[in-house]
Amino acid sequence: MSQAEITNAPSIGQAVSKPKGAARGKKEARGINGTAVSLVGLVILFAGWSLAVRYLDVPSYILPSPAAVWNALWSGIAVNPASPLGYYLPLWGTLKNAAIGLVIGSGLGLTLGSLMAESRLIEKLVMPYAFALQSLPKVAIAPLVVIWFGFGDGSKIAISALLAFFPMLINSFTGLRAVEPERIDLMRSLSASRFETYRIVKLPNAAPYIFAGLDMAVVYALLGTIVAEFLGAQQGMGVVITQAQAVTDVAGVFAALVILGAMGILLHGIVRGVERRVVHWGDRGRK
């Protein structure tokens, strides 16, 4: 091979960079296509909604038009964030209580799920009562929680933590128990302690399960906070919906629901983004 051919030959880094760039381009193209499909579906939904309200003569107190919902939404957004007439203060109160409840509920679920995965005795002791608690309708026990914790933030945090607890418990327990026995045997052959086996092998293996439980727990925590606000609160999106219902402001109810739906999508995206950063080996496996 001549000197010119050696000089012009691509280096190893250059040869590797092309497939990486191509894979990144394909991934971005898939993301753009997914966003385009979602936007097209949203346009079709609003078009069908608008046409149904206009040509089927649906009363506004049953189903308001998209324009009426947009006006109600804009009237609560285009205000000073510190104004009590806007959506910012109620949304902040709801998200704050949901976040605290999520941390408490998911933390307890992960801790108890880990203990159950490590001990058959704890599993037999806790699992039946956990399923019994999950089978109870939360709307039925919510008044009891309000009586115990009052009408302040305590009841909202307690209900959101209660709803976030079970998904994290089951998913963490399932993920920790799904470790291949060969990996456990390898750690034992290396004289690893029980905690080292948990930290090095079991916890990374259970990470996709844990994030799946966290993804559900985020939505459930937000739902629990709204349910508690329906029963009695001074501030929050549940109070906004209750007040709008009291005056038959259906467009205002829909506007609050749109905000809550957008918050659910945003929180889901945050959890998935953190998962892609933390569970990076799972992303490589999908590729």
Side-chain angles (χ1 to χ4, degrees):
M1 181 180 291
S2 65
Q3 183 66 29
E5 290 174 339
I6 296 175
T7 305
N8 296 328
S11 63
I12 296 176
Q14 291 174 338
V16 174
S17 64
K18 289 183 179 180
K20 285 186 177 180
R24 189 181 301 111
K26 291 181 180 179
K27 186 176 180 180
E28 293 176 355
R30 286 196 299 267
I32 294 173
N33 292 334
T35 303
V37 171
S38 300
L39 292 177
V40 170
L42 186 63
V43 170
I44 294 174
L45 172 63
F46 279 106
W49 179 4
S50 180
L51 293 174
V53 171
R54 176 177 299 180
Y55 293 105
L56 297 180
D57 294 329
V58 180
S60 60
Y61 61 85
I62 295 179
L63 182 64
S65 65
V69 175
W70 169 254
N71 292 332
L73 182 63
W74 183 251
S75 65
I77 293 178
V79 296
N80 189 335
S83 173
L85 301 178
Y87 292 123
Y88 298 101
L89 292 179
L91 183 60
W92 166 249
T94 299
L95 292 179
K96 178 189 67 175
N97 292 328
I100 297 174
L102 173 66
V103 171
I104 296 174
S106 59
L108 290 176
L110 178 59
T111 302
L112 195 56
S114 300
L115 293 176
M116 290 167 53
E118 293 294 323
S119 173
R120 294 284 183 180
L121 177 62
I122 297 178
E123 176 191 355
K124 294 178 180 179
L125 181 65
V126 174
M127 186 66 79
Y129 299 103
F131 276 101
L133 179 63
Q134 179 64 16
S135 64
L136 295 176
K138 302 306 182 291
V139 178
I141 64 176
L144 291 176
V145 177
V146 172
I147 292 174
W148 294 336
F149 293 92
F151 290 96
D153 293 339
S155 59
K156 287 75 179 173
I157 295 173
I159 296 178
S160 63
L162 184 63
L163 289 179
F165 167 76
F166 193 77
M168 183 61 70
L169 172 71
I170 295 301
N171 280 271
S172 59
F173 171 76
T174 304
L176 292 170
R177 280 288 177 87
V179 182
E180 293 85 350
E182 293 80 5
R183 296 187 180 185
I184 305 298
D185 294 337
L186 175 61
M187 295 299 292
R188 288 174 180 171
S189 67
L190 296 175
S191 301
S193 64
R194 200 165 186 175
F195 178 73
E196 289 175 336
T197 303
Y198 172 83
R199 179 177 58 87
I200 298 174
V201 175
K202 293 185 177 181
L203 193 59
N205 182 82
Y209 295 84
I210 292 172
F211 274 100
L214 184 62
D215 200 5
M216 292 187 292
V218 166
V219 178
Y220 287 160
L222 186 61
L223 176 62
T225 306
I226 298 297
V227 170
E229 290 171 350
F230 284 154
L231 300 176
Q234 301 296 325
Q235 191 180 40
M237 294 303 296
V239 177
V240 172
I241 294 175
T242 303
Q243 292 174 347
Q245 288 176 338
V247 296
T248 323
D249 182 12
V250 183
V253 174
F254 270 76
L257 294 178
V258 168
I259 292 176
L260 292 176
M263 286 298 103
I265 294 174
L266 177 62
L267 294 174
H268 167 73
I270 292 174
V271 173
R272 292 300 300 272
V274 174
E275 180 183 4
R276 284 192 293 268
R277 298 278 294 183
V278 175
V279 194
H280 49 82
W281 58 89
D283 189 45
R284 287 201 303 265
R286 286 190 294 269
K287 289 180 183 178

